DNA sequence: CCTGAAAAGGTGTACGT
DNA sequence: ACGTACACCTTTTCAGG
């Protein structure tokens, strides 16, 4: 059984273009892929509806805004039942400090990236917010020195 | 001496809004922050010029593009001299499979996120590319089940 | 599934406050 | 530094191939 994704080459070119410039106009998109604006708009809408394009975002320089601290945090929950996972994830989604979160295989723990203005603010987040989330059993922080590469997402 | 970032509350609300929806119109932005379109456009332009807004991007479900495999890879180098780090980083920047890379404190190892079409392609990258980079001593892979949160960047 | 044209809606500039 | 007005451009919708 083959998983026909239903995204053709034109869609892929549209995706590449909007990955590079999320505010590009439908017209310019049409020019770049060789289509008139209306089909591009239709395809874009369809890509959004199908959940392939999950949204659009401005890329903001965190350090320019004073958020100089970025920390990787590994979190283990004390139970691994679905309820605990759901409760944890709901809390995570509400914390602005958490910019990225993955559920890992293995011990079913989470890997987060937490961004704050300072170490003091990070500590406050850790003891004031994260440790207070129900089900959190273990927390391990790793501090990066610097970011070597940032692509956002892969493109062919 | 106070570090007045020169971004006031209005700017911050604009940043929050465009982080959440990078394709929002200037008009809608104006409505949401209580300003008419022209000042919003002026502020937006200024935020871009000052490098606070570095660009716009569509958030794309990588799996939709056929990149179903995402793996966190931890890499230790056998020597921690600057030359080794530089050589390693140069290699990393050239690999399209590596979408994100951080130099970590502590044991001075690297944390990468590697994205491929399949496990077979991942393995090929691992044995064919990553292990062949000079200085690589230890590699540990962690496989995520799914992404829980993807914010791109922190907002004020 | 595409084009093209017309209606609706958004943008950018100039100027007034 | 914000608002309004207006000309211009972009998006959307719909008829037709």
């Amino acid at each position: 059984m083959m998983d026909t994704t239903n995204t053709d080459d034109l869609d892929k070119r549209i995706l590449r273009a909007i990955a590079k410039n999320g505010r590009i106009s439908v017209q310019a998109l049409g020019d770049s892929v060789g289509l008139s604006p209306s089909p591009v708009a239709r395809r874009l809408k369809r890509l959004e509806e199908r959940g392939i394009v999950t949204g659009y975002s401005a890329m903001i320089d965190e350090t320019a805004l004073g958020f100089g601290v970025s920390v990787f945090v590994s979190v283990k929950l004390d139970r691994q039942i679905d309820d605990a996972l759901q409760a944890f994830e709901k809390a995570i989604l509400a914390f602005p400090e958490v910019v990225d979160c993955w559920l890992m295989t293995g011990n079913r723990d989470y890997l987060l990236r937490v961004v704050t203005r300072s170490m003091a603010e990070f500590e406050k987040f850790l003891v004031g917010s994260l440790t207070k989330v129900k089900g959190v059993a273990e927390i391990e922080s790793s501090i990066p020195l610097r970011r070597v590469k940032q692509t956002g997402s892969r493109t062919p």
Side-chain angles (χ1 to χ4, degrees), chain A:
Chain A
M1 187 216 289
M2 62 173 200
D3 187 337
T4 162
T5 49
N6 230 10
T7 52
D8 63 11
D9 195 59
L10 241 34
D11 283 330
K12 283 179 183 161
R13 286 169 68 188
I14 291 173
L15 288 168
R16 268 193 286 277
I18 59 174
K20 219 174 74 185
N21 176 9
R23 256 181 119 81
I24 189 175
S25 73
V26 176
Q27 253 182 188
L29 258 179
D31 291 347
S32 80
V33 305
L35 234 51
S36 64
S38 7
V40 174
R42 254 183 287 121
R43 279 164 181 270
L44 209 53
K45 200 177 159 194
R46 190 135 179 278
L47 288 167
E48 289 162 6
E49 284 166 356
R50 287 168 59 202
I52 290 168
V53 172
T54 58
Y56 301 88
S57 181
M59 292 178 290
I60 294 166
D61 183 347
E62 288 163 351
T63 59
L65 278 169
F67 293 103
V69 173
S70 187
V71 182
F72 285 96
V73 180
S74 188
V75 176
K76 268 196 177 59
L77 302 189
D78 55 11
R79 294 150 303 143
Q80 287 141 22
I81 53 170
D82 251 23
D83 270 11
L85 299 183
Q86 273 174 33
F88 177 77
E89 290 178 18
K90 201 180 153 190
I92 287 305
L93 290 175
F95 292 138
E97 293 92 345
V98 179
V99 299
D100 219 350
C101 175
W102 295 80
L103 172 60
M104 307 300 291
T105 50
N107 286 317
R108 284 220 152 206
D109 47 8
Y110 290 92
L111 179 63
L112 332 178
R113 188 162 66 91
V114 175
V115 174
T116 56
R117 278 176 207 281
S118 62
M119 267 299 156
E121 197 189 307
F122 174 71
E123 196 186 337
K124 199 177 144 197
F125 166 75
L126 217 60
V127 300
S129 301
L130 194 58
T131 57
K132 289 192 176 160
V133 175
K134 216 184 128 201
V136 169
E138 248 182 81
I139 295 177
E140 206 186 294
S141 304
S142 304
I143 298 176
L145 276 175
R146 82 190 136 79
R147 194 168 206 161
V148 174
K149 185 174 187 175
Q150 175 180 25
T151 317
S153 59
R154 178 143 182 206
T155 27

